[in-house]
């Protein structure tokens, strides 16, 4: 009820497709991420346990209020980097069939709703059933993308509430499970491709976090090695000819 009140405050017009595929307890719901209001859009049509980092300010107030309603999985900043601890907490949650399905945005950052970028593999290593969801906003009446480097949370919400309307479509895709000959990265890419295809989004392999962080040296070295192999290979082909 609270989420539906929020949806009306945003003047959101939402069309839900294939609702028989909505996530169930013991599963993980994964979706492409455009805006913080993605949570409101999905939660107004179902019940979810949220996963994320503990925040301060307005977001912190909202998080503390949400925990009183149902069990969510919040991590302290120091805990987020501990992948084993995160996986353990998530596994314990999905194994309890009485708890709500977990809602995760594997991109880890907001993308401008034209593409789907690299999914982090953590949520695909647990072994739970994954329920993919594709969210596509129509920018004709209001752009839902949150550029956090340009707008704060309060400013962004005010912009959303004063826009003409937030028009979006939500597709619930059939549940997917990891195959025996598939690793977590391959499974994540398969789910990502299905979401991109259904939502009419571009399927990209880039890490969305690179918009704020520098490319790791290991990634640079890998590309340098590939480039050197191409040069050496071309040189060998010329010498043989």
């Amino acid at each position: 009820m609270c989420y539906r009140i929020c949806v009306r405050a945003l003047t959101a017009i939402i069309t839900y497709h294939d609702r028989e595929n909505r996530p169930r307890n013991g599963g993980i719901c994964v979706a492409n991420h455009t805006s913080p209001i993605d949570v409101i859009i999905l939660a107004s049509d179902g019940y979810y346990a949220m996963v994320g980092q503990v925040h301060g300010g307005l977001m912190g107030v909202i998080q503390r209020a949400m925990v009183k309603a149902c069990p969510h999985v919040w991590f302290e900043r120091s805990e987020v980097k501990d992948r084993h601890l995160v996986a353990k907490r998530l596994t314990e949650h999905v194994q309890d069939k009485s708890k709500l399905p977990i809602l995760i945005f594997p991109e880890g950052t907001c993308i401008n709703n034209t593409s789907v970028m690299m999914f982090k593999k953590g949520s695909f290593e647990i072994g739970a059933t994954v329920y993919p969801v594709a969210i596509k906003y129509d920018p004709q009446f209001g752009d839902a993308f949150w550029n956090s480097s340009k707008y704060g949370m309060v400013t962004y919400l005010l912009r959303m509430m004063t826009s003409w309307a937030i028009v979006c479509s939500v597709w619930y895709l059939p549940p997917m499970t990891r195959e025996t000959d598939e690793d977590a990265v391959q499974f994540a890419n398969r789910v990502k491709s299905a979401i991109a295809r259904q939502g009419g989004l571009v399927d990209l392999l880039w890490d969305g976090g690179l918009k704020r962080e520098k490319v790791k040296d290991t990634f640079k070295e890998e590309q340098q090695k590939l480039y050197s192999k191409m040069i050496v290979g071309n040189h060998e082909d010329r010498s043989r000819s």
Side-chain angles (χ1 to χ4, degrees):
M1 184 181 68
C2 291
Y3 284 118
R4 287 173 180 169
I5 291 172
C6 292
V7 164
R8 284 162 176 75
L10 295 170
T11 323
I13 302 171
I14 313 166
T15 304
Y16 297 99
H17 304 271
D18 305 318
R19 298 175 75 176
E20 67 275 9
N21 294 326
R22 283 186 295 184
R24 295 176 173 80
N25 289 8
I28 297 177
C29 174
V30 298
N32 57 302
H33 197 25
T34 302
S35 157
I37 67 174
D38 292 341
V39 175
I40 299 172
I41 298 295
L42 293 177
S44 64
D45 190 50
Y47 307 100
Y48 299 95
M50 310 299 173
V51 176
Q53 181 178 307
V54 174
H55 290 274
L58 176 61
M59 280 295 292
V61 174
I62 296 172
Q63 284 181 323
R64 289 190 292 273
M66 290 171 65
V67 168
K68 294 178 181 178
C70 64
H72 299 284
V73 185
W74 302 132
F75 296 96
E76 296 291 342
R77 185 180 296 273
S78 58
E79 296 176 329
V80 172
K81 296 181 180 179
D82 189 342
R83 291 180 60 247
H84 296 290
L85 176 61
V86 173
K88 181 175 179 291
R89 293 271 301 276
L90 295 180
T91 302
E92 290 174 351
H93 185 100
V94 297
Q95 287 178 346
D96 188 347
K97 302 301 181 182
S98 65
K99 291 186 177 179
L100 301 177
I102 295 176
L103 175 59
I104 295 179
F105 301 103
E107 288 168 300
T109 187
C110 293
I111 309 298
N112 65 1
N113 206 229
T114 61
S115 60
V116 183
M117 295 196 175
M118 185 181 76
F119 279 7
K120 305 295 191 296
K121 66 177 182 179
S123 54
F124 300 91
E125 293 176 321
I126 299 171
T129 301
V130 171
Y131 295 86
V133 176
I135 306 173
K136 178 65 176 177
Y137 292 91
D138 185 347
Q140 186 174 358
F141 299 102
D143 185 8
F145 171 56
W146 181 35
N147 186 349
S148 57
S149 60
K150 188 176 181 181
Y151 302 110
M153 175 60 71
V154 176
T155 304
Y156 169 76
L157 290 176
L158 288 174
R159 285 172 58 86
M160 291 298 96
M161 295 174 72
T162 54
S163 63
W164 282 103
I166 302 298
V167 181
C168 78
S169 295
V170 176
W171 289 272
Y172 296 108
L173 280 66
M176 302 173 70
T177 54
R178 183 172 165 182
E179 297 177 355
T180 53
D181 59 342
E182 196 174 42
D183 61 27
V185 174
Q186 292 171 330
F187 183 30
N189 287 334
R190 183 160 61 91
V191 174
K192 178 167 68 74
S193 296
I195 290 174
R197 187 166 54 251
Q198 181 63 72
L201 305 167
V202 180
D203 185 1
L204 299 176
L205 294 174
W206 305 338
D207 185 353
L210 292 177
K211 66 182 181 181
R212 293 189 184 87
E213 301 174 358
K214 293 183 178 180
V215 180
K216 294 181 180 178
D217 291 335
T218 54
F219 292 163
K220 291 181 180 179
E221 291 174 3
E222 288 179 6
Q223 295 301 316
Q224 289 168 353
K225 289 178 182 178
L226 291 173
Y227 187 62
S228 63
K229 287 180 181 179
M230 291 170 57
I231 295 175
V232 172
N234 292 335
H235 180 71
E236 289 178 352
D237 292 339
R238 289 175 184 173
S239 60
R240 288 173 185 170
S241 60

